[in-house]
Amino acid sequence: MARQDSKPGRARSGWDVLTGLGAIVVLLVLVVGPPVALITVFGLPIPRTMPSASLLTHPLQAAAVLRACSVVVWLAWLQLVWCVIAEVSAAVRNVGMPRRVPLAGGLQALVHRLVTAALLVSTAAAAAPALAPAAALAATSPAAAASIR
């Protein structure tokens, strides 16, 4: 007996649902977590006053180096959000692969996988109530289905 491969109309397994829910959680943590942490620890990255010229003549303090590192983390977070927006908009418009985000590298591939897994779970959850009557009709005998019409 030949082994059947997965069918296009197969139901989602528990593992697929957990993977999708995990992708949603990871996306939320990556999109919401860094700004909350950075604002809590360092404040907003936009200076309130213009830096003085003495900043360039004095030795750097540890706080100044940490603030500079926080700006780099903000830029990396903006890159991540840009990738998420590109992937979600491509999925919503149903255009397949989105345009490449400059300087994203492997980050866009990771975000593509996360968004795809998250959208598969959300579309499966949205389509399940709509498909329930059709599944119930298909489960009935052909004679009963003919009498219903």
Side-chain angles (χ1 to χ4, degrees):
M1 185 182 257
R3 185 177 149 219
Q4 284 186 327
D5 290 332
S6 64
K7 300 174 196 165
R10 73 175 177 90
R12 302 265 179 244
S13 69
W15 182 251
D16 291 339
V17 173
L18 284 177
T19 301
L21 292 175
I24 291 170
V25 169
V26 168
L27 277 172
L28 284 175
V29 166
L30 287 175
V31 170
V32 175
V36 170
L38 287 169
I39 289 172
T40 302
V41 175
F42 297 106
L44 290 173
I46 302 167
R48 292 185 185 98
T49 61
M50 190 70 166
S52 66
S54 66
L55 181 67
L56 300 174
T57 59
H58 292 292
L60 282 178
Q61 298 174 351
V65 173
L66 288 175
R67 278 196 154 301
C69 290
S70 75
V71 170
V72 172
V73 174
W74 273 108
L75 292 173
W77 177 79
L78 284 173
Q79 181 74 22
L80 172 84
V81 169
W82 190 1
C83 288
V84 169
I85 290 170
E87 292 293 336
V88 169
S89 67
V92 167
R93 289 182 288 133
N94 199 20
V95 295
M97 288 298 291
R99 58 187 159 83
R100 297 295 302 165
V101 175
L103 303 174
L107 180 65
Q108 189 169 6
L110 173 70
V111 170
H112 177 75
R113 288 184 180 141
L114 288 171
V115 168
T116 302
L119 287 176
L120 284 175
V121 166
S122 65
T123 56
L131 295 178
L137 185 63
T140 60
S141 66
S147 68
I148 293 174
R149 293 184 215 170

